[in-house]
Amino acid sequence: MSEPARAATAARPPHPQHCPPWCTECRHDDADPFSPRALLHRGVADSVHVYDPACLLVEAHVRVAFWDKAPSWIGTDPADLERPYVEFSVPAEDGLQLSLNPEHARGLAAALLRAADAADAAIRDDAPQ
């Protein structure tokens, strides 16, 4: 293990043994009286740049997440979000956080690729010959 990797591992707080292997960040949610023992697992975030409504460039984050809930809270969300899901967030002034099941995430990714291809084609069509 390299020295930077060893330092990063040492700096990370210990995770409970039941954490998923992809978990890099755990957060207890003790503020919710219906879920005094909920634990949010999050994976490494991929950052992408997007424009906000004011046309300012901001970072959006995409990562896997999962709420490990107390038994009494299971069933309070749609069934496909009771398993690991994709979290998309833009921590801007107003903030935005979307939760997508894997199928929805793939659909959004495919739609984004189609739109990007169409935008590229429109740029090429408008380019001077």
Side-chain angles (χ1 to χ4, degrees):
M1 183 182 287
S2 69
E3 190 59 38
R6 189 173 299 124
T9 302
R12 187 175 104 176
H15 284 232
Q17 288 183 334
H18 65 278
C19 276
W22 46 262
C23 180
T24 59
E25 174 189 330
C26 292
R27 179 172 59 92
H28 285 275
D29 185 11
D30 293 332
D32 187 339
F34 300 106
S35 169
R37 304 298 289 169
L39 182 64
L40 175 61
H41 299 282
R42 287 182 165 150
V44 174
D46 284 315
S47 296
V48 295
H49 287 98
V50 297
Y51 287 104
D52 71 4
C55 295
L56 298 174
L57 202 58
V58 297
E59 277 192 344
H61 305 285
V62 181
R63 61 179 151 201
V64 63
F66 171 65
W67 278 102
D68 186 4
K69 301 176 182 179
S72 62
W73 201 33
I74 293 173
T76 58
D77 288 316
D80 55 353
L81 295 180
E82 296 279 359
R83 299 182 296 270
Y85 60 92
V86 176
E87 179 183 279
F88 176 85
S89 60
V90 180
E93 191 173 304
D94 293 330
L96 169 70
Q97 183 170 328
L98 302 174
S99 300
L100 302 98
N101 69 29
E103 178 184 356
H104 294 154
R106 286 184 187 91
L108 176 60
L112 288 168
L113 288 171
R114 286 190 302 272
D117 290 345
D120 281 342
I123 292 168
R124 282 191 303 274
D125 291 346
D126 288 343
Q129 301 294 328

